[in-house]
Amino acid sequence: MIPARYQASRFPAKLMQDLGGRPVIVRTYEAAVKTGLFNEVYVVTDSPVIADVIQDIGGKVIMSKNTHESGSDRIAEAVEDMDVDIVINVQGDEPFIDAESLEKIIKVFKNDTEKEIDLGSLMTPITDWEEIANPNTVKVIVDNQDFALYFSRSPIPYPRDEKVDAKYYKHKGVYVFRKSALMDFQKLPMLPLEAKEKIEAIRFLEYGKKIKMVETHVTGIEIDTPEDLERARKVWK
């Protein structure tokens, strides 16, 4: 499922910006299909403009009936009546998503025979302090079994003791849900930490859900700003 909202707060209409001759959302849809990992791939949107460009390439679209605060809420509505076990949320601004990273996270659920994991997601190591300090970069810290402890736009962990070697991880915009956890998500009201940081994964942590993080070294580019788009265009060329 690829949630796609036309009016992004930081970069309006970013999903319709040109990337190598096609809109960003089309590139993301094509990348998800190309992995060959999914039974079905849908774009879930409230925008007729986005729906039209996906349908023009023969893609599948689900139109949202309600207004949603987050992509996870949008997807929960779309899959409510579907007979599925695992739902993968690929953000619409992730045109460089790769099969290798997705295979790793799908394997986590195949191996989770006790069904202890509610949600899986991806993280990639970062070392550049400018990126670590950038509030557009969502950071994650994990325990010794790679379960998420917290997500933040601030640098976490804070480097109080610079002699201690601690890794920094960037959270990538891919979520893998058990359908049951996703349906719970839409019923749970947003709490202050999620509202303050504007990071939907925090809601799961606030309600005690277990998020398994999987490390990947495929960085890609998430298109959050016009500067990101320019970088993406150079990489695409």
Side-chain angles (χ1 to χ4, degrees):
M1 294 286 172
I2 304 172
R5 192 163 57 97
Y6 188 81
Q7 287 297 346
S9 56
R10 288 193 297 272
F11 187 5
K14 68 179 180 179
L15 299 184
M16 290 300 299
Q17 299 298 314
D18 181 81
L19 180 60
R22 291 199 167 190
V24 168
I25 186 61
V26 170
R27 293 301 188 192
T28 302
Y29 180 86
E30 290 173 332
V33 171
K34 189 178 177 182
T35 65
L37 295 172
F38 308 114
N39 302 98
E40 300 283 357
V41 178
Y42 295 91
V43 169
V44 189
T45 186
D46 56 2
S47 166
V49 175
I50 290 174
D52 285 347
V53 298
I54 296 299
Q55 289 169 336
D56 285 348
I57 63 164
K60 296 180 179 180
V61 175
I62 296 173
M63 294 298 295
S64 298
K65 298 171 189 169
N66 302 313
T67 302
H68 297 289
E69 286 286 331
S70 72
S72 298
D73 288 310
R74 191 178 299 282
I75 290 173
E77 180 199 291
V79 303
E80 187 168 10
D81 297 323
M82 289 187 179
D83 182 19
V84 295
D85 297 314
I86 301 295
V87 181
I88 299 188
N89 171 352
V90 174
Q91 306 283 28
D93 59 6
E94 291 261 4
F96 297 96
I97 194 63
D98 66 292
E100 178 188 336
S101 300
L102 291 171
E103 278 184 304
K104 281 184 181 179
I105 203 167
I106 291 168
K107 188 176 180 182
V108 163
F109 280 83
K110 287 182 175 177
N111 293 339
D112 183 30
T113 53
E114 300 299 316
K115 297 190 176 180
E116 294 176 335
I117 299 169
D118 299 298
L119 175 65
S121 198
L122 294 172
M123 61 183 183
T124 184
I126 50 175
T127 55
D128 178 67
W129 184 254
E130 189 174 329
E131 185 174 19
I132 292 167
N134 187 339
N136 290 323
T137 300
V138 175
K139 278 70 66 175
V140 59
I141 47 175
V142 296
D143 67 13
N144 62 1
Q145 294 181 308
D146 285 338
F147 283 99
L149 294 171
Y150 192 60
F151 300 85
S152 183
R153 297 184 182 279
S154 297
I156 51 173
Y158 182 80
R160 176 67 178 82
D161 188 336
E162 295 184 359
K163 295 192 291 289
V164 176
D165 184 25
K167 278 189 176 181
Y168 288 85
Y169 289 102
K170 177 180 181 177
H171 180 218
K172 288 177 65 68
V174 174
Y175 299 101
V176 183
F177 303 96
R178 292 201 185 281
K179 183 185 175 184
S180 56
L182 183 58
M183 301 321 295
D184 285 346
F185 181 89
Q186 67 169 348
K187 297 170 192 168
L188 299 171
M190 187 185 297
L191 295 175
L193 290 177
E194 179 193 0
K196 193 76 171 173
E197 294 257 21
K198 294 292 185 286
I199 301 170
E200 62 196 78
I202 292 175
R203 191 184 313 180
F204 288 92
L205 296 181
E206 287 187 276
Y207 284 102
K209 302 287 188 185
K210 298 186 76 172
I211 305 178
K212 183 76 168 183
M213 301 301 298
V214 175
E215 184 173 341
T216 175
H217 292 269
V218 181
T219 54
I221 298 172
E222 298 90 18
I223 300 173
D224 285 320
T225 65
E227 293 75 23
D228 293 336
L229 179 61
E230 287 309 308
R231 286 196 302 129
R233 284 171 173 164
K234 288 174 184 174
V235 170
W236 197 270
K237 284 180 182 178

